[in-house]
C-alpha cells in the first residue's frame, strides 16, 4: 500500500469520525484530487469509506488483511520488524525466515503469512494454519550467544505473546513449559525455534510464533492431541490481527533489547511469574519414556525445567510434556 494511503488510514483511525478532505490534503501536503485517488485505492483494497460532501470521509470498516505497511505504522521497535515481509500464502514462515537469514537478512527481519500450507509444529507435528484468521510469524535474530543458550529465546516469544494477549483481550494467559501459551488450560499459541549454528556460536536463530486468534471451533483438526482454543473462542470477540501482530512484535523487541543488555534474568523472572506450574506439583512425561513428578521450582539459565523430587533433590529436565497435578 502507498505510504500516503497508509497515513490516511491512520488519520481516520486517530480521528474516529468524519475527516474533511481539506484537512487530509493539508496534513499530507497533497492535492484534493490525490486524496480522492488514495481513498479510491483504499476502497479497492476492501476498506469501506463513507464520503459526505459537507463532512468529508469516514472509515467504516477495514478488511482483516495482513499488510506490512499497516503493521509497520504501529511498530516502534529498534530491531524487530525493520524488515517485514507479509505473504498471502506460504509453506512455512519458519522455512522462509531461515532462507532469507541464510541469504543475509538483517537481525529483526520478520516473515508473516496469512496462511501456511505446511506449518511446522514441535516434534515434527503439523501446525494447522488456515487463511485469514490467525497469526503465523517468524523472526530472524542474530544474538552473540552460544548454541546451548539459544532455547532462552523461546521464553522471550512466550512472554511477548502473553503480553500481547493481555493488551488485546480481557483474558489471562498462562505459559506452559517450555513453549505453549494457554488460556484456561487450552493452547492458544505454539513456538518453534530453529537455528543455524557452529560449535562456537550461532549464525542466526528463527523464532517461530503461531497464535490462534480468530479460529473457530470447526477449523481445528480432529486429531489434535491436546486441548486447543483461540482468543475469539475464549473471549467471544474477534481480535484485530494487525494490531495483535504489531503489539507482539513491539513487546518482542523490548524483551530482546533487555535480553541483550541484561541477559536472561529479567525474562526468566517474568516467564516464571506467568508459568502455569509456578509452585505446583507437576508430572513430566520425559520425551515419551519416563514419568517424573515433583515440585516445579522454576527454570535454570538454559531454560531447563527444575523439579524438586520427594527426597529434596533438584532434577533438571530438558525435554518433555509437563502436566500440572
Ligand atoms: C508447536 O508445536 O507448539 C509449535 C508451533 C509453531 C507454529 C509456528 S506458526 C509460524 C511458524 N512457522 C511454522 O512453520 N511454525 C511456526
Amino acid at each position: 500500500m502507498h505510504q500516503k494511503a497508509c497515513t490516511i488510514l491512520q488519520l481516520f483511525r486517530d480521528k474516529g469520525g468524519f475527516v474533511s478532505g481539506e484537512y487530509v490534503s493539508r496534513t499530507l501536503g497533497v492535492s484534493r484530487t490525490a486524496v480522492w485517488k488514495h481513498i479510491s485505492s483504499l476502497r479497492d483494497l476492501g476498506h469501506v469509506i463513507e464520503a459526505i460532501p459537507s463532512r468529508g470521509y469516514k472509515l467504516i470498516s477495514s478488511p482483516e488483511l495482513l499488510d506490512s505497511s499497516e503493521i509497520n505504522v504501529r511498530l516502534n521497535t529498534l530491531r524487530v520488524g525493520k524488515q517485514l515481509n507479509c505473504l498471502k500464502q506460504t509453506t512455512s514462515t519458519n522455512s522462509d525466515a531461515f532462507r532469507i537469514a541464510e541469504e543475509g537478512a538483517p537481525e529483526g527481519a520478520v516473515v508473516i503469512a496469512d496462511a501456511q500450507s505446511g506449518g511446522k509444529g514441535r516434534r515434527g507435528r503439523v501446525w494447522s494454519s488456515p487463511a485469514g484468521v490467525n497469526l503465523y510469524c517468524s523472526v530472524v535474530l542474530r544474538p552473540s550467544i552460544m548454541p546451548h543458550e539459544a532455547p532462552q529465546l523461546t521464553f522471550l516469544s512466550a512472554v511477548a505473546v502473553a503480553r500481547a494477549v493481555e493488551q488485546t483481550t480481557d483474558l489471562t494467559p498462562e505459559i506452559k513449559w517450555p513453549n505453549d501459551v494457554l488460556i484456561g488450560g487450552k493452547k492458544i499459541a505454539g513456538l518453534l525455534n530453529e537455528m543455524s549454528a557452529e560449535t562456537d556460536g550461532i549464525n542466526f536463530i528463527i523464532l517461530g510464533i503461531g497464535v490462534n486468534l480468530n479460529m473457530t471451533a470447526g477449523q481445528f483438526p480432529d486429531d489434535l492431541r491436546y486441548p486447543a482454543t483461540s482468543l475469539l473462542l475464549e473471549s467471544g470477540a474477534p481480535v484485530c490481527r494487525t494490531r495483535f501482530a504489531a503489539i507482539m512484535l513491539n513487546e518482542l523487541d523490548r524483551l530482546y533489547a533487555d535480553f541483550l543488555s541484561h541477559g536472561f534474568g529479567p525474562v526468566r523472572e517474568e516467564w516464571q511469574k506467568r508459568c502455569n506450574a509456578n509452585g505446583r506439583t507437576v508430572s513430566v512425561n520425559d520425551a515419551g519414556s519416563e514419568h517424573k513428578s515433583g515440585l516445579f521450582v522454576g527454570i535454570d539459565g538454559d531454560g531447563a525445567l527444575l523439579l524438586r523430587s520427594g527426597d529434596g533433590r533438584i532434577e533438571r529436565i530438558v525435554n518433555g510434556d509437563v502436566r500440572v497435578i
Side-chain angles (χ1 to χ4, degrees):
M1 193 196 301
H2 194 282
Q3 182 59 40
K4 297 261 192 240
C6 209
T7 314
I8 293 180
L9 274 182
Q10 199 52 50
L11 258 184
F12 287 165
R13 289 187 180 126
D14 292 346
K15 294 271 168 194
F18 276 95
V19 183
S20 74
E22 207 263 312
Y23 178 82
V24 179
S25 97
R26 226 180 335 107
T27 312
L28 267 71
V30 298
S31 69
R32 295 284 290 273
T33 318
V35 171
W36 181 82
K37 278 190 185 148
H38 289 307
I39 298 281
S40 135
S41 72
L42 286 169
R43 284 182 173 143
D44 289 343
L45 287 172
H47 299 272
V48 178
I49 299 166
E50 194 179 346
I52 297 183
S54 55
R55 302 179 71 190
Y57 301 102
K58 182 178 173 184
L59 179 66
I60 305 294
S61 66
S62 291
E64 242 299 54
L65 290 175
L66 285 170
D67 178 276
S68 51
S69 43
E70 285 250 15
I71 297 175
N72 243 314
V73 291
R74 291 173 160 90
L75 290 183
N76 50 9
T77 58
L78 284 174
R79 302 176 181 84
V80 176
K82 288 290 168 201
Q83 180 185 309
L84 179 60
N85 311 292
C86 263
L87 311 171
K88 190 93 200 86
Q89 160 83 42
T90 191
T91 310
S92 154
T93 56
N94 261 30
S95 306
D96 295 331
F98 205 97
R99 196 194 59 248
I100 64 167
E102 281 181 323
E103 291 164 2
E107 163 145 282
V110 172
V111 180
I112 290 179
D114 195 52
Q116 299 184 117
S117 54
K120 296 189 272 187
R122 283 171 68 206
R123 301 184 182 185
R125 291 180 193 145
V126 170
W127 185 256
S128 173
S129 312
V133 282
N134 293 334
L135 180 65
Y136 317 116
C137 169
S138 301
V139 183
V140 178
L141 295 180
R142 299 180 179 277
S144 303
I145 56 173
M146 295 301 285
H148 73 92
E149 294 169 307
Q152 296 176 351
L153 291 160
T154 322
F155 297 85
L156 270 68
S157 311
V159 172
V161 170
R163 288 185 184 176
V165 169
E166 280 172 352
Q167 288 171 51
T168 51
T169 70
D170 291 334
L171 302 167
T172 306
E174 285 186 319
I175 304 176
K176 178 178 168 221
W177 184 87
N179 51 18
D180 291 348
V181 183
L182 314 176
I183 304 282
K186 296 184 199 160
K187 180 160 168 170
I188 55 123
L191 314 168
L192 180 71
N193 284 4
E194 295 185 78
M195 79 171 162
S196 156
E198 315 290 332
T199 40
D200 56 347
I202 74 169
N203 301 321
F204 59 81
I205 180 158
I206 307 300
L207 302 190
I209 305 172
V211 192
N212 299 336
L213 297 178
N214 298 322
M215 214 166 166
T216 53
Q219 288 179 304
F220 285 90
D222 295 332
D223 56 352
L224 213 57
R225 303 236 213 104
Y226 48 82
T229 189
S230 71
L231 296 184
L232 170 69
L233 289 171
E234 294 306 305
S235 72
V239 174
C240 170
R241 292 191 300 159
T242 305
R243 179 160 177 262
F244 187 95
I247 291 175
M248 191 196 76
L249 294 174
N250 281 333
E251 291 299 343
L252 189 61
D253 187 74
R254 265 165 227 141
L255 285 157
Y256 185 55
D258 221 20
F259 174 83
L260 293 179
S261 6
H262 303 110
F264 187 38
V267 181
R268 178 171 144 197
E269 207 172 297
E270 180 169 347
W271 184 94
Q272 285 186 171
K273 280 192 197 134
R274 293 177 174 279
C275 177
N276 68 335
N278 213 354
R280 300 176 69 180
T281 303
V282 297
S283 140
V284 186
N285 179 356
D286 198 350
S289 51
E290 213 180 320
H291 274 278
K292 291 173 181 162
S293 57
L295 187 73
F296 176 86
V297 182
I299 49 174
D300 72 6
D302 293 335
L305 183 152
L306 301 175
L307 204 64
R308 181 181 292 128
S309 47
D311 59 9
R313 263 184 329 115
I314 301 278
E315 199 164 341
R316 218 177 148 260
I317 314 270
V318 290
N319 254 318
D321 270 331
V322 174
R323 201 164 50 82
V324 175
I325 299 175

